Amino acid sequence: MSDKPKIGLYWCASCGGCEESVVDLAEGILDVIAVVDIVFWPVAMDFKRQDVEAMDDRSILATLINGAVRTSEQEEMVALLRRKSRLVVAYGACAHMGGIPALANQFSRERILEYVYRESPSTVNKDNTRPQTHYRDNGTEAELPVFRNVVRALDQVVDVDYYIPGCAPTPEILANAIRVLLSGELPEKGSVLAPDIALCEQCPRIDSKPQDLSIAAFRRPHWTLMDAGQCFLAQGIPCAGPATRGGCGAQCIQGNMPCTGCFGPTSRVRDHGAKLASVLASSMEAKTEDTIQSALCGIVDPIGTFYRYGLAKSLLRRRVDLRNTTQEVAVP
Amino acid sequence: MTESLHDVFDQAHQRANAAYVQGRRRITVDPITRLEGHGKIDIFLNDQGSVDRAYFQVPELRGFEVFSLGRPAEDMPQITSRICGVCPTAHHMAGTKALDSLYQVEPPPAAKKIRELVYNAFMLEDHALHVYILGGPDFIVGPDAPPALRNVVGVIEKVGLEVGRKVIRMRRRLREFISRVAGKVIHPVLGLPGGVAKGISADDLPALRQLAEDAMEFALFTLHVFHDIVLKNADYVNLITSDAFTHQTYYMGLVDDNNCVNFYDGKVRVVRPDGVELTRFGATEYLDHIAEHVEPWTYVKFAYLRQVGWNGFEDGARSGIYSVAPLARLNVADGMATPRAQEAYNEFFTTLGGKPVHHTLANHWARVVEMIYAAERISQLVADPEITSQELRVIPSQKPTVGMGVVEAPRGTLFHHYETDGNGLITRCNLIVATQNNSARMAMSVEKAAKGLIRNGEVSEGLLNRIEMAFRAYDPCHACATHSLPGQMPLLVRIRDLQGQVLRTIER
C-alpha cells in the first residue's frame, strides 16, 4: 500500500445523503483521492468488515462516520473503527445530534412493533411473524442485530474528535474540513468544523429582519403565500435561523422555505431546541394567556419544530413515559 | 406431547441444529457494497460443496411511519426525504403529491411542470450514479477485478480521466440545477400541497437549454459506453442472459395514458410473467393490490400482489412476487414517450428476444434507456413556455383527511399514504418504498446466483462479487426498503452501569 494517509467512511442509521455529499465534491474528489487512500466506504467500494478487522490499530488517519446509532451491529462497527482510527469524525446531523431518525425517541419499540408487523394497512401477517436476532432453520442460521430502545448520536457511543454538521453537510464545509484534517494543525478536540455564527448573519434576507421582532401569530407555510425576499420570521413563519449555526449558504432560504435547523447550535448553546423555543417565544407580540395560546396555534408540533434534528442530544433525550404510546398519537 | 416433553424435544432439536450449523461451511459477505444501504449475505454449503441456502439480509431500520405521527403533513416531504439521501427527491415528490391528494388541491400547470423537470433531472443524475459508480464498475472494470479497483477510482482509470471528468461534471451540473430550484439537492424543500415554493426565472433559460442539450449528449454517450464495454463483450452478454440471473415474475411500473413510461405521474400498471396486463390502478387504490409479507430473517418486508397471493419465494404466474425499476418499467410499458428513447427501447427488446425480458442484469441496460428518456423529457419541459410562469401555488382550502401519492423512484414504484386530523397532523402513515417491491425477487436472485455459481465448495473473491451483482442490478436502496422499525427485538437486553458492569440481563 502507498504512504498516503488512510481515510475511512461508514454509515449507521443513515439515509445515504452524507455519502452523496462526499460524491458532491464532484471534480474535487479527484484531488482528494490523489492525496489519500480511501480504505473503507461500503457505498462505493468493496472493502469488507474483515478488511477493517485486519488493519493495524490507529492505522486509519480519520474515519468519517455518519448516521445515528441504534443497533448492535452499528455499535460494533463504530467501536471497531474507533480502534483502527486516529481520529473519528461525526459526519452529518445524525451522527452529530441524532438527526431526524432520533424523532423515534418519542415512541417505544412496542409501538413500532405493533404498527409495522400488524396494524399497517398493507401488512398481511396471520402467523404474527417477527424478525429474530437468531433464526434457525434446517441447519442454517440467520442473525440480525439487536435493536436498542433509544436512538443515539455518535458521541453517546464512542469518543468523537470532531463534528461536521448538516443534513447533509455541504461540499464547501466538507472540503474545508478535509483541508483542516490533512493540514496537521488540528483544532481543539471536540470542535464543530463550521463557522461559529448564527445563520441569520449569512442569510440573504437579513436586511428585512427587524431589530425587534414582534410576531403576531405563527403561520404554516402551506397556508401562506410567502414573500420571496422577506425574512421568514417577519412574515410570522417559524425559521430556525437565529438559533442555528451558519455555514450552509442558507440553501433552504434560497429555495424560498425557512431554515429547519440541520446544522445544529453554535458553541454557545447547550440545547438547540430550547434556544429556538426561547428565540421564538421572545419574538412574540402576545403578552396575555389567550393571545399567546392563539399565536402558538401555528406551531403545532413543538418537538418536530424545535428538535427536528437534535432530539438525541437534547436535554430531553427521549420520551420516558411510554405507557401511553401504544395508542396512536393524536395532538389536540 | 406433554409440555415438559415438548421442551426436552425442543432443546434437543436446538442443540442438534446448533451442532449442525457449527459443522457446516458458511460463507458470509459483510457488508454488501456498492448499493444504498446495509445488508449481508449468508451462504450455507452442504457436504457436496453446493449451496443449500443463501440469505440476503437487511439489518437496518429506523421507523419513519411511526415517528411521523403527530407531525404536520406539510413537513412530510422534507421528513420522508430523509428515508434516503440518494433518492430524496423521489420521497419528496411522492410526499408532495400525497399532500395534493390530502388537501384535494390541484397545483397550477406550471408548478407540475417545474416538479416534473426537477424530477427528470434527478432521475438522470441518480441513474448516472448507478451506472458509473455503484453497479457499473462490475462491467466497466470487470467482476473479477481486484476489489481495490472495482469502484469509481477503477472506472476512471479504465475510461480515462477525461471521460471521468465528463461524468462528474454532468452530474454536478444537474445537481446544481436541482439545488437552484429546490433549495437543496440532498433533501429538497420545493414541494408544497398545491404547488412549489420557487419558480424558474427567464434569466435562467439559456443556461438551462444548454444543460438540456448537454444532458442529451451525455445520455447517448452512456449508451455508447454500454455498447462498447458490455454488449460487445461476449462473456458479459452470456452472464446477462444466463439462467443463474434470470427470474420470471410479474412487473410493475407507472405509465401515462398511452402506456408509455412516466416517472412523475400516471397509473400503476402490472403485467404477468408472459407480458399480458394483469391490472391498472391509481395511487388511491394501492391497498387493494399490494400487500407486505414478513420473514423472520430480515427486517425488510416483501411486497407482493394481493390478487395472486404470497406463495413463497417462487417464480411464475402463481407467485405474487413482482419486480419494479428500469427493467420492469420497460416490460410494463408499450413504449417510450420520446423518440430517441423509443429507438433505444426497440433495440433493447429486439436484441434480447422480445418482451418481457426476464434477465435481471438487463436492468443495467434498461437504466441507460431511461437516462435517454429523462434527458429528452428535460428538453421538452425546458422548451415549454409555461416553465417560467410565476403561477406557482394554489393555497389549499379543503379540510385534510387522507392522501396518497405515487411516483417512480429510480429504484421502483413508490407509494406515500398519509392520514391526518382536521388540523393536518399525521394520524397514520403508510409507505411502500421502491426497493421493497423488489425485495422478494432480490432475495431469490441472490440465492439462485449462489446456487448457480458455487460448486464443490470452490469460492473466490470474484465469485462472491458475482453473487453480489445479482442484487446490485436492482440498484437497491435498503434505507428506503426498511424505513420501518420491526418487531419483537431484541432477544437479549443487557443493562450496564456507567462503568460497563452488567446490572441486569433480560432475555426473551
Side-chain angles (χ1 to χ4, degrees), chain B residues 186 221 339 348 367 402:
Chain B
I186 303 175
F221 167 78
F348 176 85
R367 196 165 288 115
V402 55

Side-chain angles (χ1 to χ4, degrees), chain A residues 31-57:
Chain A
D31 301 326
V32 171
I33 58 183
V35 297
V36 303
D37 267 330
I38 301 177
V39 295
F40 189 55
W41 194 14
V43 77
M45 299 185 162
D46 287 351
F47 304 112
K48 305 296 180 187
R49 178 170 173 159
Q50 64 208 36
D51 298 318
V52 179
E53 283 162 352
M55 293 175 191
D56 289 335
D57 283 3

Side-chain angles (χ1 to χ4, degrees), chain A residues 10-18 20-21 23-24 26-27 29-30 33 40-50 70-71 73-74 100-104 106-107 109-113 115-117 119-125 129-148 167-169 220-226 251-252 254-258 260 262 297 300-301 303-305 308-309 328-332, chain B residues 17 20-21 24 26 29-38 40 44 53 55 57-62 64-67 69-72 74-75 78-79 82-86 103 129 133-134 147-148 150-151 153 156 165 168-169 171-172 175 183-187 189 192-193 197-198 287 290-299 301 304 306 393 395-396 421 423-430 432 465 468 472 479 484-492:
Chain A
Y10 189 65
W11 48 8
C12 300
S14 151
C15 73
C18 287
E20 277 274 15
S21 75
V23 179
D24 274 343
E27 291 91 334
I29 210 169
L30 298 171
I33 58 183
F40 189 55
W41 194 14
V43 77
M45 299 185 162
D46 287 351
F47 304 112
K48 305 296 180 187
R49 178 170 173 159
Q50 64 208 36
R70 75 171 311 164
T71 72
E73 179 191 65
Q74 291 155 7
I100 282 185
L103 290 172
Q106 275 184 277
F107 300 91
R109 243 192 340 251
E110 289 302 309
R111 178 72 188 84
I112 295 167
L113 154 81
Y115 184 79
V116 172
Y117 290 98
E119 288 173 20
S120 144
S122 44
T123 299
V124 175
N125 188 5
T129 304
R130 301 277 184 265
Q132 297 167 21
T133 45
H134 293 281
Y135 170 69
R136 296 189 182 98
D137 175 43
N138 199 26
T140 66
E141 184 177 42
E143 284 149 4
L144 288 173
V146 171
F147 274 78
R148 306 305 183 197
C167 181
R220 290 162 70 179
H222 68 302
W223 280 327
T224 311
L225 262 179
M226 299 178 288
Q251 293 174 92
C252 295
Q254 300 199 63
N256 204 22
M257 287 289 277
T260 52
C262 78
C297 278
V300 285
D301 172 23
I303 296 278
T305 301
R308 180 171 299 192
Y309 303 91
E328 280 163 16
V329 173
V331 179
Chain B
N17 203 54
Y20 186 19
V21 168
R24 294 174 76 125
R26 174 184 186 169
V29 178
D30 182 17
I32 55 178
T33 53
R34 285 187 286 121
L35 79 161
E36 194 299 323
H38 295 72
K40 61 181 166 117
F44 290 87
R53 186 85 191 260
Y55 292 98
Q57 297 179 280
V58 183
E60 66 169 312
L61 10 94
R62 288 161 296 155
F64 278 80
E65 286 149 326
V66 174
F67 71 69
L69 297 176
R71 310 257 95 91
E74 72 270 20
D75 286 348
Q78 286 194 42
I79 289 176
R82 269 78 180 185
I83 290 172
C84 181
V86 178
Y103 281 100
L129 176 82
I133 298 179
L134 299 180
R150 259 188 344 239
N151 52 53
V153 179
I156 293 174
R165 281 190 192 280
I168 290 172
R169 186 167 54 239
R171 285 194 75 243
R172 175 175 57 74
R175 288 171 70 83
K184 289 160 70 170
V185 62
I186 303 175
H187 306 313
V189 303
L192 287 160
K198 186 174 173 180
L287 282 172
I290 298 175
E292 297 177 273
H293 171 80
V294 181
E295 286 284 335
W297 42 266
T298 183
Y299 289 144
K301 289 188 284 186
Y304 66 97
R306 272 194 204 268
R393 294 184 58 190
I395 302 286
D421 62 17
N423 206 15
L425 299 182
I426 300 284
T427 53
R428 185 158 80 158
C429 168
N430 197 42
I432 308 270
N465 186 46
E468 285 198 66
R472 224 173 259 136
S484 46
L485 198 77
Q488 212 104 18
M489 313 288 310
L491 294 186
L492 175 71

